[in-house]
Amino acid sequence: MNAITGRERDPVFEKVRHAVSAPEWALMRPTIDAITRLKRERNAVILAHNYMSPAIYHGVADIVGDSLALAAQAVEAQGDVIVMAGVHFMAETAKLLNPAKTVLMPDLKAGCSLAESITGADVRALRARHPGVPVVAYVNTSADVKAEVDICCTSGNAVKVVESLNAPEVIFLPDKYLAAYVASQTSVRIIPWDGRCEVHEQFTAADIAEFRAAHDDLTVIAHPECPPDVLAAADFAGSTAQMQEFVRTRTPKTVFMVTECSMSDNITAESPQTTFVRPCMLCPHMQRITLDNIRTALETLEPRVEIPADVAARARASVERMLAVGR
């Protein structure tokens, strides 16, 4: 039996073989084995977002999910070290909820166009223009922004969070498209900020029409960070976790998942009955996280995420309020 044939019988490889070739897996496996060993030595846990590459998602992650799931699981994470396989705001959120633990961000340049679109000073200016109006921040924001708002939300619980405030109007930031989606689902007046996800804003309703014409019985499910015309053309809109549940429970024949394309790769293993159309849009920030820099982070215990104590206390409160609302 040659080495590649042996790897093909690896149960993890069976989950990723649709996206990773046998020769590629043979090259990856030593790093995966090293990460597994280092996790034991460091008493570490790896949290991975749904947009991570299949080798990370299936190969080394201990906890996977959308932003809300990772935030909730971070509270319960066992171990002394948390490695965030995601983007920087997610690592900050993990640190907020685990102030005594070491939180590692394998690449500090793994940012987010939404998080970078607004600052704490911007929030203070919004409050001055709209006195007394509560402020909801999408979790895709920095700790500095979270410290200035009343409560956070994710795409999965945004409507529920907005309505939990029992206010006639709410400032919602930073994603203008998610704000528009929330406004369409509630009677609360939404005051938006002009932030956008650089990946989701690239999709168009014309893309959907083109794929519907090319594929019979196509089901289109879209992330609410997409523009309104895309959501209007889709069959379902929801967070990455809600998309995953949609595919799992409704078992559509063919799906166009309008979001970062690693998502389709990661859920193919658990939804073999569904064929995924992949118009690949990769998040350049998510893709900065690799097996190699996860390994280096565990070896060196760097880079670490630190948040000033005064900012952390206020930001933590807004995240904890979000978790109390739940999905």
Side-chain angles (χ1 to χ4, degrees):
M1 179 184 299
N2 62 41
I4 292 178
T5 301
R7 293 312 183 196
E8 288 174 344
R9 295 185 180 181
D10 184 319
V12 179
F13 179 69
E14 293 302 316
K15 294 181 180 180
V16 302
R17 63 185 307 151
H18 61 280
V20 180
S21 70
E24 288 174 318
W25 185 250
L27 293 173
M28 292 175 179
R29 191 57 203 240
T31 304
I32 290 173
D33 291 343
I35 291 170
T36 301
R37 172 181 55 79
L38 285 162
K39 285 196 294 181
R40 290 194 300 267
E41 293 175 359
R42 300 298 198 185
N43 192 22
V45 60
I46 297 177
L47 276 58
H49 190 266
N50 289 330
Y51 293 160
M52 283 294 100
S53 69
I56 293 172
Y57 185 94
H58 290 292
V60 300
D62 300 291
I63 297 169
V64 297
D66 63 1
S67 297
L68 182 57
L70 293 183
Q73 290 294 322
V75 181
E76 307 296 332
Q78 300 297 311
D80 301 316
V81 177
I82 295 174
V83 181
M84 178 53 69
V87 291
H88 193 266
F89 76 79
M90 297 177 184
E92 280 192 329
T93 303
K95 183 63 176 178
L96 290 173
L97 298 171
N98 294 272
K101 294 184 179 182
T102 298
V103 175
L104 304 177
M105 183 68 219
D107 187 335
L108 292 175
K109 293 181 181 179
C112 171
S113 59
L114 285 169
E116 292 163 8
S117 73
I118 191 166
T119 66
D122 292 325
V123 181
R124 292 190 291 273
L126 278 170
R127 284 194 183 278
R129 290 201 298 271
H130 304 279
V133 178
V135 183
V136 176
Y138 193 21
V139 75
N140 299 39
T141 47
S142 67
D144 181 51
V145 168
K146 290 180 175 71
E148 299 295 337
V149 307
D150 297 290
I151 189 170
C152 291
C153 74
T154 70
S155 55
N157 70 356
V159 174
K160 190 174 181 181
V161 165
V162 165
E163 294 185 339
S164 76
L165 296 171
N166 296 312
E169 59 182 359
V170 167
I171 297 168
F172 190 98
L173 53 89
D175 188 344
K176 74 172 189 178
Y177 294 135
L178 180 58
Y181 172 76
V182 172
S184 74
Q185 303 294 307
T186 181
S187 60
V188 178
R189 177 175 176 260
I190 301 297
I191 302 170
W193 179 259
D194 190 23
R196 288 158 290 176
C197 168
E198 64 188 273
V199 174
H200 288 108
E201 72 171 342
Q202 295 181 57
F203 292 102
T204 67
D207 294 331
I208 294 177
E210 181 179 338
F211 281 99
R212 285 198 192 277
H215 300 273
D216 294 334
D217 299 322
L218 182 67
T219 300
V220 180
I221 57 179
H223 195 284
E225 289 177 20
C226 292
D229 64 329
V230 171
L231 300 185
D235 300 300
F236 174 79
S239 68
T240 57
Q242 290 166 339
M243 290 171 142
Q244 193 169 8
E245 182 65 13
F246 181 98
V247 174
R248 181 187 300 117
T249 58
R250 303 200 191 184
T251 62
K253 180 181 178 181
T254 307
V255 165
F256 174 10
M257 190 172 285
V258 191
T259 190
E260 216 270 6
C261 68
S262 296
M263 177 78 182
S264 297
D265 287 335
N266 288 331
I267 68 173
T268 293
E270 66 182 44
S271 300
Q273 77 287 342
T274 297
T275 299
F276 292 92
V277 175
R278 290 179 173 84
C280 203
M281 296 285 190
L282 287 170
C283 172
H285 307 291
M286 290 283 185
Q287 298 308 311
R288 295 189 74 94
I289 307 304
T290 65
L291 290 171
D292 286 337
N293 58 29
I294 290 173
R295 177 179 181 171
T296 299
L298 284 167
E299 288 172 339
T300 63
L301 293 181
E302 297 287 349
R304 301 188 185 199
V305 173
E306 302 291 351
I307 304 168
D310 59 330
V311 172
R314 291 179 290 132
R316 184 179 304 115
S318 67
V319 174
E320 289 175 341
R321 292 185 196 111
M322 171 187 75
L323 294 176
V325 171
R327 289 201 182 274

